[in-house]
């Protein structure tokens, strides 16, 4: 990835046209000056040309407009009789305005590059935590979207992943309490543990136990460093697709929004969050139970974080997720496709909230693909062959 590359402000068909408004303004000032009387000289308005360029163009383009404005001022003003010329005072004004505009453009471009650099780092951080998932990964059709409440930050504590392995495919979706880099660190710690335990552990309860232990260790480390977020926790849903039982899934819910099973014949809610969040299960005396739930082959599992269910409209009404999805599926049963379902929920949330999200929002949908779990077989083969860590699994 190339960091710090400035993005043009005005683009048409991939080409920057930031130079066009200053040019039109330059031509307009010239025409107006020649078509107005001698008692209404507006040639000094040409100082607006480099000022406009400073807001839209690069440094060298702004400097070029500054010089062009100064030369044009001299040429146009000299074309008038001596008694009607604007004079040296306005010449100094145009020259000074061009110099200041060039300086402003240099400062603006530098700040834009710094901002783009920060955004690129944030995007890389997010992709490191939320790794891209190949199409049909682990025998699942899937789609996901992440919307940051702070569009400039691009990072938060929401997370999801699919992990194939010799004991079936596991899915984890969750939301770390809080925001910022501390939440990202906790999400990264949980995902790292999930990717290892989800692959190696046969029992889903053991995977859940490993997640709880990892959060406690993470909190202990943060507290030892004197950080104020040493009590962080995470709600999450842990799903297993057993290879020997294609018509069911196993669910462990750590106090998260219950997933929805969306099929052509309707929408139903999977077991609710009967456990406490990861990092707090000791308060309930143990881990949440494992629920085995039947899931039809044409049903898609829809996971959301509280950015969806807590999205409000103007009067303060929460987004009716289940009703919206049920209505959409009744109108078009093909909307159970994960990609179409995620797009529908995303558009519905943004429309309902007027585009003003109060919390980071993740929407993730999965269902069994028609073909077998090729991803699992590939990963098992890589593991058996001594493949290096850091591959897709």
């Amino acid at each position: 990835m190339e960091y710090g590359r400035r993005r043009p402000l005005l683009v048409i068909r991939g080409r920057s046209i930031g130079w066009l408004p200053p040019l039109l303004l330059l031509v307009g000032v010239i025409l107006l000056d020649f078509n107005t009387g001698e008692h209404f000289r507006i040639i000094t308005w040409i100082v607006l040309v480099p000022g406009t360029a400073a807001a839209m163009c690069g440094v060298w383009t702004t400097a070029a407009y500054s010089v062009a404005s100064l030369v044009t001022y001299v040429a146009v003003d000299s074309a008038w009789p001596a008694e009607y010329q604007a004079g040296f005072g306005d010449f100094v004004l145009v020259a000074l305005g061009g110099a200041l505009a060039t300086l402003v453009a240099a400062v603006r471009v530098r700040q834009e590059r710094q901002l783009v650099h920060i955004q690129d780092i944030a995007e890389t951080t997010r992709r490191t935590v939320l790794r891209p998932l190949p199409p049909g990964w682990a025998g699942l059709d899937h789609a996901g979207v992440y919307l940051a409440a702070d569009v400039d930050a691009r990072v938060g504590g929401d997370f999801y992943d699919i992990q194939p392995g010799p004991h079936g495919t596991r899915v984890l979706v969750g939301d770390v309490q809080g925001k910022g880099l501390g939440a990202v660190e906790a999400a990264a710690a949980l995902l790292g543990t999930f990717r290892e335990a989800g692959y190696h552990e046969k029992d889903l309860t053991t995977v859940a136990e490993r997640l709880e232990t990892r959060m406690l260790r993470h909190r202990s480390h943060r507290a030892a460093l004197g950080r104020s977020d040493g009590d962080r926790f995470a709600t999450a849903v842990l799903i297993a697709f057993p290879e020997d039982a294609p018509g069911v899934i196993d669910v462990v819910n750590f106090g998260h929004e219950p997933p929805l099973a969306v099929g052509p014949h309707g929408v139903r809610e999977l077991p609710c969050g009967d456990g406490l969040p990861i990092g707090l299960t000791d308060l309930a005396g143990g881990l949440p139970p494992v629920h085995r739930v039947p899931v039809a082959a044409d049903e898609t599992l829809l996971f959301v974080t509280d950015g969806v269910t807590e999205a409000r409209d103007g009067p303060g009404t929460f987004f009716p997720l289940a009703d919206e999805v049920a209505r959409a599926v009744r109108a078009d049963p093909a909307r159970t496709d994960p990609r179409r379902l995620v797009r529908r929920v995303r558009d519905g949330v943004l429309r309902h909230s007027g585009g003003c999200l109060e919390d980071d929002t993740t929407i993730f949908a999965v269902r069994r693909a028609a073909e077998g779990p090729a991803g699992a077989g590939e990963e098992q083969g890589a593991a058996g062959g001594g493949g290096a860590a850091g591959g897709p699994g």
Side-chain angles (χ1 to χ4, degrees), residues 126-135 137 142 160-162 195 392:
R126 186 180 70 85
R127 285 186 170 272
T128 301
V129 176
L130 297 179
R131 61 179 179 177
L133 297 173
W137 181 237
H142 59 82
Y160 59 84
D161 201 6
I162 299 174
R195 289 162 186 165

Side-chain angles (χ1 to χ4, degrees), residues 133-388:
L133 297 173
W137 181 237
L140 298 179
D141 289 332
H142 59 82
V145 64
Y146 170 78
L147 303 173
D150 182 356
V151 296
D152 292 329
R154 295 190 181 184
V155 293
D158 292 3
F159 57 90
Y160 59 84
D161 201 6
I162 299 174
Q163 180 57 55
H167 308 295
T169 298
R170 276 76 185 265
V171 176
L172 179 67
V173 180
D175 180 8
V176 175
Q177 171 260 335
K179 301 180 186 298
L181 290 179
V184 175
E185 289 180 8
L190 289 175
L191 284 174
T193 298
F194 167 71
R195 289 162 186 165
E196 289 300 312
Y199 180 84
H200 291 288
E201 301 295 344
K202 181 178 180 180
D203 191 355
L204 192 64
T205 302
T206 305
V207 179
E209 187 177 301
R210 292 275 299 275
L211 292 172
E212 173 70 12
T213 302
R214 185 66 184 92
M215 178 57 81
L216 294 178
R217 290 173 54 205
H218 179 76
R219 285 168 45 183
S220 176
H221 177 261
R222 300 286 291 181
L225 292 175
R227 304 291 175 83
S228 59
D229 59 350
D231 58 348
R232 199 178 294 275
F233 58 86
T235 63
V237 180
L238 178 61
I239 300 283
F241 290 84
E243 291 186 333
D244 57 349
V248 301
I249 61 171
D250 294 327
V251 184
V252 179
N253 194 321
F254 291 93
H256 195 75
E257 299 289 340
L260 298 179
V262 182
H265 305 294
V267 178
R268 60 190 177 91
E269 192 175 274
L270 270 61
C272 64
D274 46 7
L276 292 183
I278 301 174
L280 301 178
T281 61
D282 56 335
L283 300 179
L287 297 169
V290 177
H291 296 279
R292 175 151 286 196
V293 181
V295 174
D298 58 356
E299 285 186 313
T300 297
L301 301 179
L302 176 64
F303 306 82
V304 300
T305 58
D306 52 12
V308 173
T309 55
E310 295 181 5
R312 299 172 183 252
D313 59 8
T317 304
F318 290 111
F319 178 66
L321 174 63
D323 293 341
E324 285 289 326
V325 172
R327 183 161 48 249
V329 171
R330 281 197 302 269
D332 183 5
R335 285 198 175 115
T336 58
D337 174 76
R339 286 163 291 279
R340 295 190 62 184
L341 183 59
V342 165
R343 284 198 300 267
R344 175 72 181 191
V345 175
R346 177 200 62 190
D347 295 344
V349 170
L350 292 175
R351 183 171 55 251
H352 182 81
S353 63
C356 299
L357 300 175
E358 297 181 359
D359 196 1
D360 295 337
T361 299
T362 293
I363 308 163
F364 188 62
V366 296
R367 72 179 178 188
R368 291 184 185 270
E371 56 274 2
E378 292 170 2
E379 182 162 294
Q380 292 176 43

Side-chain angles (χ1 to χ4, degrees), residues 6 50-51 53-63 66 98-114:
R6 190 176 68 87
M56 299 181 177
C57 305
V59 178
W60 290 109
T61 304
T62 302
S66 299
L100 291 176
T102 303
L103 179 61
V104 169
V107 173
R108 192 200 94 240
V109 168
R110 181 179 180 181
Q111 291 179 339
E112 284 181 356
R113 285 175 175 164
Q114 290 176 340

